[in-house]
Each structure stands twice: as C-alpha cells, then as structure tokens.
C-alpha cells in the first residue's frame, strides 16, 4: 500500500517554500521520497536543511512571482538542476487587508498577480513539460494549487485575496478538464486557519482569534505539517483518478 504514496524519483517544485505551508509541504514531499526545488524570492535555506536531512536533494531557485517574468526560467533551472519536473505545488501567496470601499488598485494587482496570474503561467510552463514527459515516458504530472476557505466563502476586508483564491479553484478545475487526458492531475488543497506569517495579524487579534477557534471543530489552528499528508496524497499515484478537486484541510471549518 505504501508504494501508492511513494514519490521516490520524483522532482517536486514548491513555490514559497522558505516558510509556513510551503515549508511543511516541501518537507512532507521529501519524506515521501521526492527531491525538491524550493522556488521563491527569499532563499529557503532552512527548508533545504530539513529536506537534505531526509536524504533528498534540495535546490534553491530564486524567483519573484509577483510577475510572470521568471516562470520560463524557473522550469528551465529545475530541469537543469534536478533532471525532471513531476510535481508543482503553487503555494506562494500574499494577502492585503482593507475595507472594500477603500481598497486600492495596487493591493488588488499585487495579490491577483501573485496568487492567480503567476499560478496560471507557472502551471502553463510546468504543464507543457509534464504533458511532453507523459507522452515520452508515461509518467503522470501532478499540480497541487493552494486554495483557501475563501475559495468557498466571501471573507471580509480581503477582496483581492477572495477573488484570487476563488480564481485558483476555478483554474484548478479548468486545467484538470484540459490536462486529465494528457496525463496531468490538477487539484488543490484549501487550508483552513493555519498558524503562519500570513495569519499573524488574525492570531494576535484576541477577538478574531476567539471567533475563529470557536468555529473550528478541531478547536485549534492548523500547522504547516497538517498540510503535508494531503500534498503527498494529491502528488502520488494514489490520487491518479482525482481531478479538479479542492480538498479542504481545515479541522472541520467548512463542515460547521
Ligand atoms: P507565509 O508564511 O506568508 O508564506 C507565503 C510564502 O509565499 C512565502 O514563502 C513567501 O516568500 C512566498 N511569496 C510571497 N510573495 C512572493 C513572491 N512575489 N514571489 C515568490 N514567493 C512569494 O504564508 P502561508 O500561510 O504559509 O501561505 C502559503 C499559501 O497558503 C498562500 O498561498 C496562502 O494564501 C495560502 N493559505 C494560507 C492559509 C493560512 O491560514 N495560513 C489559509 C489558506 C491559504 P517570502 O518569505 O519571500 O515573502
């Protein structure tokens, strides 16, 4: 049974892998056997140490994904440094908070460009390689997007974030429809409330923190490590017949 989840010989690209959910996923994929390319604007030295301690390779690829300029080079560097590209985890993301009536174009563009536009064009660049590789070798490609509770719900004071993560859910389904027949699985993980830099403001707001915890049946914030199992599953042969699914890993938040 464990063979279904084995990622030995696979190369996984994880964006925003220096911290938080990206780091948790990179380490889990390495524990399942994958070599890792940690892509981001801040070098993922700590993640690389953790991956290498598991006996897997880790290469750092510098890229600022606030624009799509680096996407072609990211794929080229991964292929050159690690000799393949089988799994792409689109994790890098940002959030900006302000009332909708005051929300600026700058905060709209910054979030949508990073969380949605770069996700599509990096998926396109990686997907082209995965489709060709599937034709040549029969190996399947796996794309795992990081969505959000705000792929399902509205949220408040985060209009560009909600738009981007709802877009990520739609894009996940579109790419699955186009690429399922070409040997690429495209799915997403929708994390609930996870204790990372991204949610530091919410965690330190006493009222919001209490309201959030009251709604989570697990009665705790999730950790980056909590995302690892779902990422390994969706990246593995065990999920070969799963397409366009947005898997909530949320301690029961959406079930409430
Ligand atoms: P985080 O700790 O703030 O990590 C975000 C990561 O994205 C960092 O590695 C960051 O790199 C990277 N990143 C941001 N802008 C980038 C850019 N322009 N180019 C390259 N990398 C960039 O937050 P997190 O909570 O782990 O978030 C990871 C993903 O999960 C995001 O897509 C987020 O929306 C999503 N998510 C989080 C939660 C949650 O509760 N935490 C819930 C649902 C979804 P730097 O360190 O260089 O900024």
């Amino acid at each position: 049974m464990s063979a279904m989840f084995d990622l030995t010989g696979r190369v996984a690209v994880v964006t925003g892998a220096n911290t938080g959910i990206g780091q948790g996923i990179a380490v889990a994929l390495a524990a399942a056997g994958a070599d890792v390319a940690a892509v981001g604007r801040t070098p993922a030295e700590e993640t690389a140490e953790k991956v290498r301690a598991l006996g897997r390779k880790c290469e750092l690829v510098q890229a600022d994904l606030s624009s799509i300029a680096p996407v072609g080079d990211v794929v080229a560097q991964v292929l050159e440094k690690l000799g393949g590209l089988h799994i792409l985890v689109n994790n890098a993301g940002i959030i900006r908070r302000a009332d909708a009536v005051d929300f600026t174009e700058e905060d709209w563009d910054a979030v949508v460009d990073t969380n949605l536009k770069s996700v599509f064009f990096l998926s396109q660049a990686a997907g082209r390689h995965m489709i060709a590789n599937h034709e040549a070798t029969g190996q399947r490609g796996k794309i795992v997007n990081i969505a959000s509770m705000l792929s399902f719900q509205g949220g408040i004071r985060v209009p560009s974030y909600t738009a981007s993560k709802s877009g990520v859910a739609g894009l996940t389904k579109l790419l699955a429809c186009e690429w399922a027949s070409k040997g690429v699985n495209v799915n997403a993980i929708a994390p609930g409330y996870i204790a990372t830099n991204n949610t530091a403001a919410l965690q330190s707001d006493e009222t919001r923190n209490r309201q959030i915890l009251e709604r989570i049946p697990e009665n705790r914030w999730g950790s980056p490590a909590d995302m690892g199992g779902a990422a390994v599953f969706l990246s593995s042969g065990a999920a070969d017949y799963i397409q366009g699914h947005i898997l909530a890993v949320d301690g029961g938040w959406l079930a409430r």
Side-chain angles (χ1 to χ4, degrees):
M1 188 64 188
S2 60
M4 289 179 97
F5 299 93
D6 185 14
L7 302 179
T8 304
R10 298 288 196 249
V11 173
V13 175
V14 183
T15 66
N18 64 318
T19 183
I21 292 171
Q23 183 178 78
I25 287 176
V27 171
L29 295 175
D35 293 326
V36 173
V39 177
R41 58 186 172 183
T42 307
E45 304 289 0
E46 188 184 87
T47 304
E49 263 178 46
K50 289 174 189 264
V51 167
R52 289 172 189 145
L54 291 163
R56 309 314 319 169
K57 291 181 196 157
C58 187
E59 293 287 346
L60 306 185
V61 177
Q62 211 281 327
D64 180 348
L65 295 169
S66 61
S67 93
I68 66 167
V71 298
D73 184 53
V74 165
V75 171
Q77 279 199 54
V78 172
L79 293 174
E80 189 193 315
K81 291 179 174 181
L82 289 165
L85 196 178
H86 308 98
I87 298 160
L88 168 64
V89 181
N90 281 307
N91 166 78
I94 57 170
I95 193 163
R96 299 274 172 91
R97 298 176 194 279
D99 292 341
V101 286
D102 299 324
F103 211 77
T104 64
E105 185 178 4
E106 191 210 337
D107 283 346
W108 179 273
D109 288 345
V111 173
V112 172
D113 284 355
T114 303
N115 295 12
L116 185 59
K117 188 173 179 182
S118 287
V119 166
F120 174 71
F121 284 99
L122 185 55
S123 298
Q124 182 190 62
R128 285 175 178 152
H129 170 78
M130 288 175 182
I131 290 166
N133 184 49
H134 180 255
E135 274 170 17
T137 67
Q139 283 179 330
R140 297 188 71 86
K142 305 279 179 175
I143 296 179
V144 180
N145 294 324
I146 302 303
S148 165
M149 294 296 95
L150 301 188
S151 301
F152 303 99
Q153 301 176 311
I156 49 168
R157 306 191 71 247
V158 285
S160 57
Y161 188 81
T162 300
S164 70
K165 293 298 185 178
S166 298
V168 164
L171 198 54
T172 300
K173 293 179 233 181
L174 172 128
L175 292 175
C177 291
E178 290 204 21
W179 293 350
S181 63
K182 300 179 193 297
V184 181
N185 291 81
V186 188
N187 292 291
I189 292 169
Y193 284 81
I194 315 303
T196 66
N197 300 335
N198 176 300
T199 51
L202 287 180
Q203 293 170 66
S204 59
D205 179 330
E206 212 175 296
T207 308
R208 288 291 286 129
N209 188 49
R210 180 177 40 76
Q211 289 168 341
I212 286 165
L213 284 175
E214 276 170 3
R215 196 192 146 148
I216 302 174
E218 278 281 350
N219 196 32
R220 66 171 175 88
W221 285 75
S223 71
D226 285 320
M227 304 301 111
V232 169
F233 169 55
L234 291 175
S235 300
S236 75
D240 278 353
Y241 200 59
I242 299 180
Q243 287 286 8
H245 188 66
I246 319 298
L247 177 57
V249 184
D250 64 350
W253 172 275
L254 286 180
R256 199 61 174 255

